[in-house]
Amino acid sequence: MAAELFGTFVLVLGGCGTAIFGHVGFLGVSLAFGLTVVAMAYGVGHISGAHLNPAVSMGVFVSGRMSAKDMLAYWCAQIVGAVLAAAVLFGIAKSAGMTIGTFAANGYGDFFGAADVAGGYLQANVWGALAIEAVLTFVFLMVILGVTDGKHANGKFAGLAIGLTLTLIHLISIPLTNTSVNPARSISQAIFSENTLALPQLWVFIVAPLVGAALAGVCYNCIAGNCKK
């Protein structure tokens, strides 16, 4: 649990911190999320598996690789770690005299505002946001379950493959939803965001990733020949 808390703390600190302070564009933020996952996969993966994400734990549970009790414990640790990191980022931003604004929260449609749309964001509606978050989480979990499959895969480069996949996912969807695929990351940022739509729209970034992950857990087992008859 400590490894999951710490790993998720670093993920939010590195990824969301880059989005808030970095001024590095979509590519830089995408790389930041991918690199933090790579770092934590090799840093604490041997202790907890480095899920760092309730959706990952959901997919692992549905695929039969962990118990419901352990999944719920992981969720608690991940959310606490994410919120602690968001609190640190909030405190740093306040101490620097920054306007908190949207923070690094997730949203869709009017969440971004006209000025941001002009700067490169697309105003997806709620169905589009649900679809992109569910589909990308599905893809993410299919990769994770594949590269960590002890029966069929060489896991030596699993952390790198997972981190690169998360980078790709961010490149696709930052302009649409600010990219979640991780309920803990979304919850932590919505709590501190000053965007009035952050909390009302939060449900999308909890439901869609969990649904996509659960579907991946079922589909991966079928593709790998592990379906229960």
Side-chain angles (χ1 to χ4, degrees), residues 11-22 29 33 85-86 89-90 93 98-107 111-112 121 170 174 177-180 182 184-195 198 202 205:
L11 173 66
V12 172
L13 191 73
C16 294
T18 300
I20 294 166
F21 303 124
V29 174
F33 274 100
L89 293 173
F90 181 82
M98 291 179 60
T99 300
I100 300 302
T102 293
F103 213 41
N106 298 109
F111 171 88
F112 288 115
Y121 284 85
H170 277 77
I174 287 177
T177 61
N178 230 12
T179 308
S180 172
N182 185 337
R185 168 256 190 274
S186 297
I187 291 168
S188 71
Q189 300 303 297
I191 289 172
F192 293 95
S193 176
E194 292 178 349
N195 189 316
L202 177 61
F205 306 100

Side-chain angles (χ1 to χ4, degrees), residues 3-226:
E4 282 298 303
L5 189 154
F6 172 72
T8 311
F9 176 91
V10 174
L11 173 66
V12 172
L13 191 73
C16 294
T18 300
I20 294 166
F21 303 124
H23 302 289
V24 292
F26 293 166
L27 176 59
V29 174
S30 300
L31 287 170
F33 274 100
L35 289 171
T36 53
V37 165
V38 172
M40 291 301 97
Y42 292 110
V44 300
H46 60 288
I47 301 172
S48 68
H51 294 188
L52 320 181
N53 179 343
V56 173
S57 298
M58 170 65 87
V60 173
F61 163 69
V62 172
S63 70
R65 301 186 194 179
M66 76 184 306
S67 68
K69 179 181 177 181
D70 285 345
M71 179 186 71
L72 293 174
Y74 269 46
W75 283 7
C76 291
Q78 291 154 0
I79 292 170
V80 169
V83 172
L84 286 174
V88 170
L89 293 173
F90 181 82
I92 293 170
K94 280 292 188 180
S95 71
M98 291 179 60
T99 300
I100 300 302
T102 293
F103 213 41
N106 298 109
Y108 57 88
D110 292 337
F111 171 88
F112 288 115
D116 288 331
V117 173
Y121 284 85
L122 305 174
Q123 288 189 304
N125 62 22
V126 62
W127 299 111
L130 282 165
I132 195 66
E133 288 290 330
V135 169
L136 291 180
T137 307
F138 177 88
V139 171
F140 192 36
L141 264 294
M142 289 295 284
V143 172
I144 291 172
L145 293 173
V147 299
T148 59
D149 187 338
K151 294 181 180 179
H152 306 290
N154 179 352
K156 185 179 294 185
F157 298 105
L160 184 60
I162 293 167
L164 289 174
T165 303
L166 188 61
T167 299
L168 173 62
I169 285 170
H170 277 77
L171 288 171
I172 295 169
S173 59
I174 287 177
L176 295 168
T177 61
N178 230 12
T179 308
S180 172
V181 301
N182 185 337
R185 168 256 190 274
S186 297
I187 291 168
S188 71
Q189 300 303 297
I191 289 172
F192 293 95
S193 176
E194 292 178 349
N195 189 316
T196 57
L197 292 176
L199 286 173
Q201 293 184 356
L202 177 61
W203 69 272
V204 170
F205 306 100
I206 297 174
V207 172
L210 292 178
V211 169
L215 288 173
V218 173
C219 290
Y220 179 79
N221 277 355
C222 291
I223 292 172
N226 299 326

